[in-house]
Amino acid sequence: MSMQESDYSGMKVLLIPDPESVYLTTANLLLKAIEAALVYRGRAVVGLATGSTPAAVYAHLVERHRSGYLSFRNITTYNLDEYYPISPLDPKSYRAYMHNHLFSHVDIAENRAHVLDGTVPEEFAAAHAAEFDHWIDADGGLDIQLLGIGKNGHIAFNEPSRLSVAETIRLPTRLVELHPDTRAAAAREFGGLERVIPRALTMGVAPILAARSIVILATGAHKADAVARALTGAMTALVPASLLQSVAHKVTWVIDAAAAERLP
Ligand code: F6R
């Protein structure tokens, strides 16, 4: 595997020819951060993403667990987002995704695998979201956050907006409306655009940027435009991933050749 390391806007970018090696490299970066946290403070707090990109990363982590190399006994996880409203039993829920791809295959304690609750009554959604941020803080903050990037440049479900950069980097975990591009991307999974759940609970930009390290991965030509804008454009709320530039020193991008197509 030939890997090229570059720097864009102060962020480290690992450019890897094929997507399979992107997933393996990302799993290795997660493992390294987990090992360091376990040595340093006896536990690790990890932010997780869902979607099509990280599925293979979880397959690698499950494999390491099966081979006896990785235990989740001292690992706490926080997922980025969940559709709202949705039952955890719904196969399209991110709770179900995490169960199927990771949680049911490893020795993580049930009460340490946090996913925002898509069944919380709406009048309690804000309190639930605030509590989620509080739990992360109480756990000593995220040692590493895994991110994907939407075609429209979103991170978690922090969608493009006309807010200022200053307002956006302070956004907490909350209930949001999904952007039309995000709904379109989910249409196949939901069996039609009109069936996509239009709202979600999302980890805010603030807790994401507060993580001690951030790994963001992108594969495929459909991500090339968002990747180029996030890495080389100005910081703007119109491309939420560009705000990672504000914490550049702790961000690593892992991208394949197709996703890097539009980079200078
Ligand atoms: C998922 C999430 C989203 C995805 C993004 C890319 O938890 O927070 O921001 O990372 O929509 O999704 P995929 O990987 O399906 O292209």
Side-chain angles (χ1 to χ4, degrees):
M1 171 179 69
S2 73
M3 185 187 326
Q4 192 190 316
E5 188 176 323
S6 323
D7 180 302
Y8 285 92
S9 307
M11 298 180 285
K12 189 199 270 192
V13 179
L14 304 179
L15 180 61
I16 294 169
D18 63 293
E20 286 320 313
S21 306
V22 166
Y23 307 134
L24 179 61
T25 302
T26 304
N28 287 334
L29 289 174
L30 284 174
L31 282 170
K32 247 168 72 178
I34 288 169
E35 270 169 18
L38 288 174
V39 168
Y40 182 67
R41 57 176 185 144
R43 47 201 289 270
V45 183
V46 184
L48 299 176
T50 56
S52 54
T53 323
V57 175
Y58 296 134
H60 285 298
L61 295 185
V62 169
E63 200 181 291
R64 301 302 164 88
H65 172 72
R66 287 198 175 131
S67 57
Y69 183 73
L70 169 68
S71 166
F72 282 76
R73 265 196 317 274
N74 296 313
I75 298 179
T76 301
T77 63
Y78 286 91
N79 261 84
L80 286 173
D81 34 29
E82 178 60 287
Y83 290 106
Y84 185 85
I86 198 164
S87 157
L89 301 176
D90 187 320
K92 293 180 290 303
S93 72
Y94 285 163
R95 167 59 79 177
Y97 172 106
M98 289 311 302
H99 179 82
N100 295 336
H101 286 92
L102 185 66
F103 298 156
S104 65
H105 306 290
V106 299
D107 56 345
I108 192 162
E110 225 174 293
N111 60 352
R112 289 207 187 136
H114 303 277
V115 181
L116 285 153
D117 183 355
T119 69
V120 78
E122 191 159 350
E123 61 268 38
F124 299 126
H128 173 55
E131 209 174 26
F132 192 81
D133 286 347
H134 172 74
W135 292 333
I136 294 175
D137 283 346
D139 265 329
L142 299 163
D143 290 299
I144 185 160
Q145 175 65 59
L146 176 63
L147 293 177
I149 179 171
K151 245 179 89 174
N152 65 2
H154 74 205
I155 46 173
F157 283 141
N158 295 284
E159 301 284 23
S161 81
R162 305 223 160 254
L163 294 177
S164 70
V165 166
E167 286 167 318
T168 309
I169 62 177
R170 290 197 192 97
L171 286 173
T173 297
R174 67 205 185 284
L175 182 61
V176 295
E177 300 271 335
L178 297 181
H179 187 277
D181 289 349
T182 304
R183 296 211 297 268
R188 198 197 302 177
E189 202 183 316
F190 276 87
L193 187 56
E194 66 298 338
R195 291 200 179 154
V196 176
I197 297 175
R199 292 193 295 169
L201 288 160
T202 185
M203 195 189 285
V205 177
I208 292 173
L209 297 182
R212 280 188 274 285
S213 61
I214 297 172
V215 178
I216 174 161
L217 63 161
T219 54
H222 62 301
K223 298 288 177 71
D225 190 46
V227 167
R229 291 170 74 199
L231 285 172
T232 63
M235 270 196 266
T236 165
L238 293 171
V239 184
S242 69
L243 301 174
L244 295 171
Q245 294 176 25
S246 69
V247 291
H249 62 284
K250 55 185 182 181
V251 180
T252 303
W253 289 74
V254 191
I255 59 179
D256 73 347
E261 212 160 63
R262 302 255 167 90
L263 286 175

